[in-house]
Amino acid sequence: MTYPETRKETITDNYFGTTVADPYRWLEDDRSAATKEWVVTQNKVTQDYLSKIPFRDALKERLKKLMNYEKYSQPFKEGEYTYFYKNTGLQNQSVLYRQKEGAEAEVFLDPNTFSKDATTSLAGINFSKDGSILAYQLSGGGSDWTDVVVMKAANKQIVGDTLTDVKFSGIAWQGNTGFYYSTYDKPLEGSQLSGITQYHKLYYHKIGTPQKDDVLIFGGDQTPRRYISAGLTEDQRYLIISAANSTSGNELYIKGLQEKDSPIVSIVDNFEQNHNIIDNDGSKLYIYTNLNAPNGRIVTADAKDAKPANWKDLIKETDNVLEPSTGGGKIFASYIVDAVSKVLQYDRNGKLEHEIALPGPGTAVGFGSKKEEQDLYYTFTSYTYPTTIFKYNVNTGKSALYKKSGVDFDPSKYESKQVFYTSKDGTKVPMIITFKKGTPLNGRNPTLLYGYGGFNISLTPAFSTSVVSLIEQGGIYAVANLRGGGEYGEKWHLAGTKLKKQNVFDDFIAAAEYLISEKYTSSPYLAIMGGSNGGLLVGAVMAQRPELFKVAFPAVGVMDMLRYHKFTAGAGWAYDYGTSEDSKEMFDYLYKYSPVHALKPGVKYPATLVTTADHDDRVVPAHSFKFAATLQERQGGDAPVLIRIETNAGHGAGKPTDKAIEEIADKWAFMFYTMGLTYK
């Protein structure tokens, strides 16, 4: 491969006496003409390479066929209507419908009409308690910055002005006259997309008044916090405020709304654990917490004095991770048991009423509704079970099929197998391997190993048409549940953070070695993939063990671990990562595995297709730019190093269907082609 020459500059930083060069820092400026020219040039090289793959178009057509079926969301009730999302098949954005009982469904909001190229998406929607008025958020080009539009539900009449520059926010209605939302001050200097967003602010917006008159409720200079969210209890009695400085651990506050000018009262005054008020009966609060319970528990307290000292266990901690929800006056305790779902229904006194009978090992999501509703909905899915919606009655404990998937897929031809392999330090790690029945274990199967391993996020089974297009070709799809995730609670999470982050990489490398030793595949047929924190994972392990993998797909990755905290909300990730400024020990640790810095000249690295997007303001594309430039410079082998930069797209949310299909087709074509295989 002949790559475009990427200009190098003499820029260095000194960390605790160590000089670190940063020759490609100019690529951090997403506004510069030089960076834009670099993006165009790199995309041309990438597309020229991909266009020569003879089966690329066939893969794209197969993906279109697989994805061309009706898709529905779980329905939800607001006022006199039942709402649901539907995609007829290849629509770029799913459409929001509504339906009165006994009447035909009608289109309520069609995001495909928001912009000519369908890159403006519906980023959230919240109704007032009676369903008569709503606020919906619009994201342009996948950005985390949104606009908020207020509308009357009955006639879809827009109310007041559109709110602008809102970020990382829900909408919490108080009556029909106003709502709470959160945002940051937009950077005044430099890039609007990559500039640091330091402190969140919670505002109250009264309908019909200018945004400049919105009232600051919490945050700002007096209580500076990086993340602030708000919600109201269903009875509108309390405003609940959660505040945090990182992605784990939060303060908890409450404000009574029945009395005018009541104070905001602290319930939890530190960031050491996670807490959330999930429901209330009058002044009785139901609180989820992992205080003294790493796997989570539910406690109750009176709002008059709801400090932790007064908490009483309602549903005690178990050996499995708890994720609660409420609906129909019940509490649903969803547990993760070895990365699959188990769901129990409890009454308000903590008495077990039902275990929900699920179709098999997989992921069940939902079990939320208003208190008066006796029927609610949930979805069930696994790697071989297409996403299906079930209707559930809280009185009988029985489920009924509501919407079956229309995807062209025969589950009987495939199998998912969970294994437990041993990591470097002896830790047992689960992995689910999915493949076509009868696949020979001869070490020659094209295999995609996927991982994440961070931020307490759990990877549970989910059906994917993009995976189907791989395994129907005799491919194998393996998902490893690495430390750093949330599959086994906070202890599992912490075992993959800061000075223990190498555990995550060791777990992933051990997963690859297991797949090879058990003859599922071998290094010439093994690809690895991960996004965001998973992109960091891929970048780190390919630098540490380049000979182990044939292909690498680092997507929207955190690649410069010395500077990640200097962009957008990156400083909030320090709970998991630590920063290069914390201490010499922390700097040395980060510097050793940071993907941009760990690449060595002359090493034969895997064939690599880096993917990112020009509007990613979560993990700024400069991470991927600098990694790709460094890897192109230092690649000592013949394997290609390409970067695919999506334009007018962000971190992933709201990506149009056509862009998603093109990206997947490019990845699988690149994988098969560089492995010397053909698409059948």
Side-chain angles (χ1 to χ4, degrees):
M1 290 289 296
T2 302
Y3 304 106
E5 185 177 346
T6 303
R7 185 179 82 247
K8 297 179 73 173
E9 296 181 346
T10 306
I11 296 177
T12 60
D13 294 302
N14 188 290
Y15 297 90
F16 302 98
T18 299
T19 299
V20 179
D22 194 2
Y24 300 123
R25 186 173 296 178
W26 62 273
L27 287 168
E28 293 177 357
D29 186 357
D30 55 86
R31 300 167 302 152
S32 77
T35 301
K36 291 176 181 177
E37 183 182 355
W38 185 88
V39 167
V40 171
T41 306
Q42 290 285 345
N43 267 342
K44 184 178 186 308
V45 170
T46 298
Q47 291 304 321
D48 284 350
Y49 182 92
L50 295 172
S51 67
K52 293 179 174 64
I53 299 175
F55 46 80
R56 178 195 190 193
D57 289 340
L59 246 170
K60 190 185 297 185
E61 290 307 310
R62 177 57 181 153
L63 280 162
K64 283 183 181 178
K65 187 175 180 182
L66 277 169
M67 295 181 72
N68 193 11
Y69 67 95
E70 287 187 339
K71 306 167 192 73
Y72 291 84
S73 74
Q74 299 172 39
F76 56 97
K77 290 185 178 179
E78 301 291 351
E80 12 178 44
Y81 290 96
T82 295
Y83 292 81
F84 61 92
Y85 291 90
K86 176 185 172 183
N87 190 307
T88 56
L90 295 176
Q91 287 178 289
N92 279 315
Q93 305 286 345
S94 293
V95 177
L96 181 61
Y97 289 79
R98 68 178 179 184
Q99 186 173 20
K100 281 186 179 179
E101 190 169 346
E104 291 291 316
E106 62 180 18
V107 172
F108 185 64
L109 283 175
D110 183 358
N112 297 289
T113 65
F114 292 167
S115 60
K116 289 183 179 179
D117 59 359
T119 58
T120 299
S121 61
L122 185 60
I125 186 165
N126 297 87
F127 289 79
S128 64
K129 181 175 170 60
D130 66 5
S132 64
I133 195 166
L134 63 133
Y136 64 90
Q137 298 187 56
L138 299 176
S139 165
S143 172
D144 284 331
W145 292 102
T146 65
D147 294 339
V148 180
V149 180
V150 180
M151 174 189 285
K152 290 183 179 179
N155 56 11
K156 296 194 274 189
Q157 178 185 340
I158 303 297
V159 180
D161 297 331
T162 296
L163 275 62
T164 61
D165 298 336
V166 176
K167 187 171 185 178
F168 294 163
S169 180
I171 302 292
W173 282 93
Q174 185 174 346
N176 294 329
T177 57
F179 56 81
Y180 300 88
Y181 70 96
S182 309
T183 193
Y184 300 91
D185 293 331
K186 240 188 173 179
L188 297 176
E189 299 178 3
S191 171
Q192 300 290 301
L193 288 172
S194 63
I196 194 164
T197 45
Q198 188 73 342
Y199 297 124
H200 229 181
K201 296 179 179 181
L202 178 67
Y203 287 98
Y204 175 77
H205 174 72
K206 186 177 179 180
I207 302 306
T209 64
Q211 186 176 1
K212 65 180 178 61
D213 294 341
D214 290 352
V215 179
L216 179 66
I217 302 298
F218 191 89
D221 295 334
Q222 293 185 342
T223 47
R225 302 291 185 267
R226 191 162 283 116
Y227 306 110
I228 299 171
S229 62
L232 267 70
T233 52
E234 191 176 329
D235 61 4
Q236 303 262 300
R237 182 167 178 163
Y238 298 105
L239 172 69
I240 311 300
I241 301 172
S242 173
N245 281 329
S246 68
T247 51
S248 189
N250 67 289
E251 300 170 319
L252 193 60
Y253 298 86
I254 191 169
K255 174 182 170 66
L257 298 176
Q258 292 184 315
E259 298 177 11
K260 190 177 180 181
D261 299 325
S262 61
I264 296 173
V265 178
S266 168
I267 294 179
V268 178
D269 60 3
N270 61 75
F271 306 103
E272 294 172 11
Q273 278 84 30
N274 299 302
H275 324 274
N276 182 35
I277 295 174
I278 61 171
D279 211 344
N280 73 304
D281 289 327
S283 65
K284 183 180 181 180
L285 306 178
Y286 295 84
I287 305 170
Y288 163 82
T289 180
N290 65 354
L291 174 64
N292 301 323
N295 290 338
R297 60 182 171 135
I298 296 175
V299 299
T300 59
D302 193 285
K304 294 175 184 175
D305 190 358
K307 295 280 188 182
N310 298 320
W311 290 355
K312 296 179 180 177
D313 275 350
L314 184 78
I315 300 175
K316 293 184 177 182
E317 182 190 24
T318 71
D319 292 336
N320 302 306
V321 178
L322 170 64
E323 296 178 347
S325 60
T326 60
K330 308 295 182 181
I331 298 171
F332 292 89
S334 295
Y335 291 100
I336 301 175
V337 184
D338 291 333
V340 300
S341 294
K342 176 181 179 180
V343 186
L344 305 178
Q345 176 182 314
Y346 289 86
D347 71 9
R348 310 290 281 190
N349 297 312
K351 179 185 175 184
L352 176 63
E353 293 184 330
H354 303 290
E355 176 176 351
I356 286 75
L358 301 176
T363 304
V365 177
F367 301 100
S369 71
K370 296 178 173 64
K371 277 185 181 176
E372 69 272 13
E373 295 172 15
Q374 301 305 296
D375 292 317
L376 48 81
Y377 300 86
Y378 68 92
T379 60
F380 181 83
T381 183
S382 77
Y383 297 117
T384 58
Y385 194 104
T387 304
T388 303
I389 305 174
F390 291 91
K391 188 175 184 179
Y392 177 81
N393 184 273
V394 299
N395 296 319
T396 65
K398 302 294 184 183
S399 300
L401 178 65
Y402 180 76
K403 286 288 184 187
K404 185 178 180 181
S405 173
V407 66
D408 179 18
F409 176 77
D410 183 356
S412 68
K413 295 180 179 179
Y414 300 88
E415 66 176 296
S416 274
K417 177 181 178 183
Q418 187 173 57
V419 300
F420 291 83
Y421 63 90
T422 305
S423 191
K424 184 177 180 179
D425 63 358
T427 300
K428 292 290 185 183
V429 181
M431 175 166 59
I432 297 180
I433 308 169
T434 305
F435 49 92
K436 186 183 286 187
K437 289 179 180 177
T439 298
L441 300 186
N442 58 10
R444 297 176 59 84
N445 302 302
T447 297
L448 183 69
L449 173 61
Y450 183 84
Y452 186 80
F455 297 95
N456 205 31
I457 291 171
S458 302
L459 295 185
T460 59
F463 185 80
S464 166
T465 47
S466 63
V467 171
V468 171
S469 67
L470 178 68
I471 61 176
E472 69 180 5
Q473 291 288 314
I476 290 175
Y477 182 63
V479 179
N481 298 107
L482 315 171
R483 280 175 285 183
E487 290 87 349
Y488 294 100
E490 188 61 9
K491 291 179 182 177
W492 192 254
H493 171 215
L494 293 176
T497 60
K498 294 190 173 78
L499 297 172
K500 296 179 180 178
K501 186 67 177 175
Q502 184 61 39
N503 286 336
V504 185
F505 312 140
D506 289 342
D507 289 355
F508 201 56
I509 290 167
E513 292 174 334
Y514 176 90
L515 292 168
I516 292 169
S517 68
E518 296 299 313
K519 304 293 185 184
Y520 286 97
T521 192
S522 56
S523 292
Y525 302 100
L526 179 56
I528 50 174
M529 186 168 76
S532 197
N533 173 72
L536 159 64
L537 167 72
V538 171
V541 299
M542 65 179 280
Q544 292 180 15
R545 292 291 303 277
E547 82 292 347
L548 196 55
F549 316 107
K550 181 68 174 179
V551 179
F553 294 118
V556 293
V558 188
M559 300 307 210
D560 185 343
M561 296 307 296
L562 303 186
R563 289 175 59 77
Y564 75 86
H565 56 295
K566 297 181 181 293
F567 304 100
T568 61
W573 312 334
Y575 184 92
D576 259 53
Y577 296 149
T579 77
S580 56
E581 298 162 1
D582 290 346
S583 66
K584 185 178 187 305
E585 182 186 27
M586 194 71 249
F587 158 72
D588 288 340
Y589 196 86
L590 290 167
Y591 187 37
K592 184 177 180 181
Y593 79 74
S594 175
V596 166
H597 304 94
L599 298 170
K600 307 300 180 192
V603 174
K604 294 181 178 180
Y605 290 105
T608 304
L609 180 59
V610 181
T611 52
T612 187
D614 64 350
H615 276 63
D616 189 343
D617 47 4
R618 187 88 53 87
V619 180
V620 293
H623 282 282
S624 294
F625 295 174
K626 291 165 73 173
F627 180 76
T630 305
L631 186 56
Q632 286 178 351
E633 175 199 351
R634 297 184 175 178
Q635 172 66 293
D638 296 329
V641 175
L642 305 174
I643 180 168
R644 186 187 189 280
I645 306 152
E646 191 71 75
T647 55
N648 208 19
H651 198 59
K655 183 178 287 187
T657 299
D658 57 4
K659 285 182 181 287
I661 288 173
E662 288 173 4
E663 182 177 324
I664 296 161
D666 285 351
K667 284 182 174 180
W668 289 183
F670 182 83
M671 175 178 164
F672 275 75
Y673 188 65
T674 53
M675 288 179 178
L677 303 172
T678 58
Y679 177 77
K680 303 166 190 173

